[in-house]
Amino acid sequence: MKIRILGPLEAESDGVRAVPTAAKTRQILALLALHPGQLVPVSTLWEEVWGPVPPRSAHTTFQTYVLRLRRVLATALDEGGATPDATGAARRLLATGHGGYLLRVAEEDVDAFVFQRTARAGHAAFADGDSELASRLLRQALALWRGPALVDVRAGSALRIHAAALEESRLLATERRIDADLRLGRHTELLSELVELTERHPAHERLYAQAMVAFYRSGRQSAALDLYRRLRRRLIEDLGLEPAPQLQRLHQAMLAVDPRLDTVAQGGPPTPTFDLYAA
């Protein structure tokens, strides 16, 4: 069974879809998939589905949801020809444990865990100074995303936390991949992507630092300085804050045409773009 949650919820067995249509059943599948091979307490599942105050009929109703989910899994297993006893296989796949349920899938069968493992390797490669490998691994990790995490699943408290954490990991992987590409001299190729990212994250200083450096190295100093002015105005108007000291020093370096800005680092200790002028 393969499950994808980095975008719309998808599950399949040998190419046969196994995604329930009912909202609460989809919630259950998604939350179990985020704990592959681990027992998820009934209380956690109930709170995800109903919030902190479940209805009096919660026990019976939840068993009905589990039964429906097993039927969907059994149908997919049967149509995929995975086993002659699809009903029994579905019960083993979605197993009842002491005080909870578990989905018997491996982490490598859930795209979120493949993303996290590949992204960790990419971050490690960047820290080791291998920008080429870092860029390649982080691109592989980010290619697993097909939209916002669990975009078509109604999310309770637990799924909201998981989805937010995954989105933060996605943004960090994107930042680090851009850092690696900047170290490799790919600044011109990054311009359109960075324009889009700064529009989507209008107060994200790290992305602005990367965009400023990319524009500066592409011979567009005025565009780089305009980015800084735009961010500074937004931060002051919305939050009453000046940009971070690192960003202020980067801005000053661009005004002074610091020759270090034109250096594309190919070796030595890796420095994220935002920290080029850290104190």
Side-chain angles (χ1 to χ4, degrees):
M1 180 71 64
K2 299 290 184 182
I3 302 175
R4 291 182 285 275
I5 62 178
L6 302 180
L9 177 64
E10 293 183 1
E12 64 177 44
S13 175
D14 294 323
V16 179
R17 277 176 53 84
V19 180
T21 56
K24 289 183 171 59
T25 315
R26 292 164 67 83
Q27 280 180 275
I28 295 166
L29 175 60
L31 189 53
L32 290 171
L34 282 162
H35 300 84
Q38 300 176 34
L39 187 75
V40 180
V42 169
S43 59
T44 300
L45 293 162
W46 283 13
E47 184 168 355
E48 170 61 32
V49 172
W50 289 297
V53 184
R56 290 187 177 183
S57 61
H59 179 74
T60 302
T61 304
F62 191 81
Q63 286 185 323
T64 301
Y65 293 154
V66 171
L67 178 61
R68 290 174 181 170
L69 180 52
R70 280 181 175 146
R71 285 175 180 167
V72 171
L73 297 175
T75 299
L77 292 168
D78 184 49
E79 292 180 8
T83 173
D85 179 17
T87 300
R91 283 198 301 268
R92 291 188 293 274
L93 178 60
L94 175 51
T96 303
H98 182 66
Y101 293 87
L102 71 154
L103 194 64
R104 295 189 190 279
V105 294
E107 288 190 353
E108 56 264 31
D109 293 327
V110 182
D111 62 352
F113 291 91
V114 178
F115 161 74
Q116 290 171 336
R117 184 181 68 244
T118 309
R120 281 195 298 270
H123 285 293
F126 183 84
D128 289 341
D130 192 338
S131 299
E132 188 66 56
L133 179 59
S135 176
R136 185 166 67 251
L137 287 170
L138 290 166
R139 284 180 186 276
Q140 289 175 11
L142 292 164
L144 294 168
W145 287 77
R146 298 163 292 112
L150 298 168
V151 65
D152 60 348
V153 177
R154 175 184 146 190
S157 57
L159 285 182
R160 280 196 298 270
I161 291 170
H162 282 292
L166 285 167
E167 291 291 347
E168 183 64 23
S169 295
R170 180 188 191 183
L171 185 56
L172 288 172
T174 301
E175 290 175 28
R176 194 58 73 245
R177 195 221 82 223
I178 292 171
D179 280 333
D181 285 340
L182 284 171
R183 284 174 60 83
L184 293 167
R186 297 169 180 166
H187 37 269
T188 303
E189 302 167 36
L190 293 169
L191 292 179
S192 60
E193 179 185 8
L194 282 165
V195 167
E196 180 184 350
L197 284 169
T198 52
E199 288 293 331
R200 275 196 282 147
H201 304 277
H204 199 294
E205 292 175 291
R206 291 182 177 275
L207 291 174
Y208 269 85
Q210 293 174 325
M212 288 168 64
V213 169
F215 273 102
Y216 186 92
R217 289 180 180 170
S218 299
R220 299 175 62 181
Q221 182 187 22
S222 61
L225 296 173
D226 185 61
L227 277 170
Y228 178 83
R229 286 191 294 269
R230 196 168 74 205
L231 173 63
R232 181 174 182 268
R233 183 169 58 250
R234 179 173 288 113
L235 290 175
I236 291 173
E237 290 175 355
D238 294 348
L239 302 171
L241 296 174
E242 289 283 348
Q246 296 96 314
L247 207 59
Q248 294 183 43
R249 285 190 286 269
L250 177 62
H251 175 243
Q252 290 300 317
M254 289 182 175
L255 290 173
V257 195
D258 188 336
R260 288 179 296 172
L261 280 170
D262 293 316
T263 302
V264 178
Q266 296 290 347
T271 303
T273 308
F274 183 72
D275 295 322
L276 285 174
Y277 289 88

